[in-house]
Amino acid sequence: MMGFTIALAGNPNCGKTTLFNKLTGASQRVGNWPGVTIDRKTGKIRGMTDAELVDTPGIYSLSPYSPEEVVTRNFLLEGNPDAVINIVDATNIERNLFLTLQILDTGIPTVVALNMMDTIEKEGGSVDAKALSEKLGCPVIPISALKSEGLKELVEAAATAANECARPAAIKFGDDIESLISETESALADKVPEEKRRWYAVKLAEKDATVSEQFPEIAESLKEKSAAVEESYGDEMDSVISDARYEIIGGLVSGSVKRAEKDEKDGTLSDRIDRIVTHRIAGIPIFIGVLGAVFLGIIGFGDITGIGTYLTDWLNGYIEDPIGTSVEQWCADNNVSEPLTGLIMSAFIGGVGAVIGFLPQMLVLFLALCILEDIGYMARAAFVMDRVFRFFGLSGKSFIPILVGTGCGVPGIMATRTIESDRDRRITAMSVTFMPCGAKLPIIALIAGALFGNNGFVALFAYVLGIVVILMSGIILKKWRSLAGEPAPFIMELPPYHLPSVLNVIKGTLDRGWAFVKKAGTIILLASVFVWFLASYDPSFNYLGADATTDSILQTIGQAVCVIFQPLGWADHWELTVGTVTGLIAKENLVGTLGTLFSLDEVGDAGEEYWDILAAYLTPAAGMAFLVFNLLCAPCFAAIGAMHRELGTWKATGMAVAYQCCIAYMVASIIYVIGSLIWGTSAEISGIVIAILSVAALVYLLVAKDPFLIMDKIGKKEEAVAE
Ligand code: GDP
Ligand code: MG
């Protein structure tokens, strides 16, 4: 027997990955949340030497909305699978068959796997697979992926279909539509292989955008005839055809599907819970309550330490002592040179250690979120928030990453993975770090303590500012060419509630934690080594000794570039610029760096020792501008690395960082001038000029319909020149 490839295709959340894992023995992530599989995965079917199985992202239709749906469509059409297993969620059979009909059109040998039969049976319903199979013209195998029932029969049927190349017969629409299709099929005769012709013809009749672009003349020649059909149905072609599909589905289902007797008035328990948690008004406070509880439990509040904070404090302490102290001792005992000791202590223990210290916090947070996700609550939360966020051009699913980002930007950015639409995912990944993360809290405490008598409103201001800038970015970024378009339609359906699966939850938690550790071991280490070098050597490369930052290369650079912060009111003090740079390693570094630069031996968490120095250096307005710039500008290297993972290229990551720095600069200059007015202090002239320009620019970006048009034109010119 020759080797063959079998594709798995189906709606989101119908059990594809569960089946894939069962058949291949792999352990891909399964989530009770549509959109978990965002790439194709390939594996060998167990017990068969030459059969390859390809898991694809879930789709509702072969006219895709979002990039990962394109992955599936392209694989089915161009990947030449020998057969496709179309998984149908039997509890939602009508909507799932909508895709099935389109798959049958592709002419690929198809086997329908009727999944979730355990649920159907439990509820007392039934599906006559044999009758359905006769009507569909392809094998229909009842299975339960979860309980491993019917899998052997399924694999056999798929192998037979692939071997015999059993192409399904088309299921025909009414005569008027069919005559349009068959005419198109003849026009496609020398362009598309015979077995796929019907699929392309139907898509052309539907006026599918991608296929119409592929065959513009045929699409053009169809216009007149389809106008006649549209006239007679009084509807657009795509609706005419989808109505026709649902009519066919009605015929398929009647007589072969028997539904469980449900209490019509109250619905299932799941329905009743949903009526409360997704309620238009009550849904939002419930959501805030659930997440509030999670966050209080993990991060803590006031004098109460949350479990995550507790563990992180412990690990941070442990890394410092005994690990740090014994490494230092070991270096001393073994005559390790001073610079090398400095490198090890500051880059490994200080830089990477500080980041690893956050790991327990993150693991506990991931664990809680994975549980909420697995029981099915996260899908409801996204549904509730969608109404609010859509107004600003973001989708409801953006809310979770932003929330996670208040703990740490890295997992926040990684949590954007669950957003299906590429556009929403990118915009969210670029905005998450505007929210103050845990590591920015010391900076807030520093400014609040030094300049505002520890006023709690400084912290509140930081969070409100974060949200405002995120919502603003939603409006601005969606106007960017490569991010254009409406937020993806929210067609995610609500998955059933169930008890969390221990394996799923643990795997999900460890996967995300491991990704973070890898990052800490690579990019953060490199960046830490680099900054250590700049801070420990003078411009003629003489080693300055541990903890010396004066006379260093960093100071030289700081003195040279600090002039750009003149409009923000803190250019006269290069130490602040250097602190901003070292904050890129980890934001809380800023407080320690300033301590070193002010030649202090001991510096507390919020830099209490030098509050008076800062108060002498900065007006309150300049202090606010300093704080705002550091909150909003490029995040730490770890978060930049995470952005790179989600955005895909360094170019896109660079653009994102540039965007963040520009916004930070603009907002900080505005705050500086407003603050100077409020507190009646003098402001730099350059600051006033920049602030006025910034207000104009922000208003323009928010109001103009196509503010990036000029940039696009420049981009096009560059491309033309390059050619
Ligand atoms: P995918 O999005 O299509 O890849 O779906 P997943 O494999 O991630 O599964 C979605 C959800 O359906 C998970 O919570 C699974 O545990 C659940 N599930 C999958 N197969 C079955 C089944 O046969 N019976 C039941 N009751 N649940 C299932
Ligand atoms: Mg999946």
Side-chain angles (χ1 to χ4, degrees), residues 626-650:
F626 178 69
L627 175 63
V628 167
F629 185 81
N630 273 290
L631 290 179
L632 300 180
C633 74
C636 65
F637 288 126
I640 295 177
M643 276 203 302
H644 172 239
R645 246 176 63 140
E646 298 313 318
L647 296 177
T649 63
W650 282 114

Side-chain angles (χ1 to χ4, degrees), residues 26-170:
S27 56
Q28 293 296 341
R29 181 145 153 61
V30 174
N32 196 7
W33 168 280
V36 170
T37 311
I38 42 184
D39 249 333
R40 319 201 297 257
K41 304 268 164 36
T42 306
K44 293 245 176 287
I45 297 183
R46 275 197 285 202
M48 297 176 84
T49 33
D50 268 341
E52 210 169 46
L53 193 66
V54 181
D55 188 16
T56 59
I59 43 171
Y60 290 106
S61 145
L62 287 178
S63 289
Y65 282 110
S66 60
E68 79 282 356
E69 293 178 350
V70 177
V71 170
T72 306
R73 164 182 165 144
N74 287 353
F75 183 70
L76 289 182
L77 288 173
E78 284 145 32
N80 290 321
D82 300 288
V84 49
I85 295 180
N86 170 216
I87 308 202
V88 163
D89 173 357
T91 62
N92 244 321
I93 195 159
E94 280 93 350
R95 213 218 30 235
N96 278 250
L97 287 174
F98 191 77
L99 176 67
T100 308
L101 293 183
Q102 297 179 54
I103 292 179
L104 292 176
D105 282 342
T106 62
I108 308 167
T110 303
V111 175
V112 169
L114 207 54
N115 195 25
M116 315 253 181
M117 285 307 285
D118 55 325
T119 310
I120 294 279
E121 277 156 24
K122 205 172 76 195
E123 288 176 354
S126 70
V127 180
D128 184 346
K130 200 158 155 280
L132 196 58
S133 159
E134 273 161 18
K135 290 183 187 168
L136 279 172
C138 72
V140 175
I141 316 288
I143 66 165
S144 164
L146 196 65
K147 305 223 153 101
S148 301
E149 285 163 9
L151 303 192
K152 196 160 157 276
E153 293 82 347
L154 178 65
V155 170
E156 274 164 14
T160 312
N163 272 330
E164 293 173 358
C165 196
R167 302 200 183 286

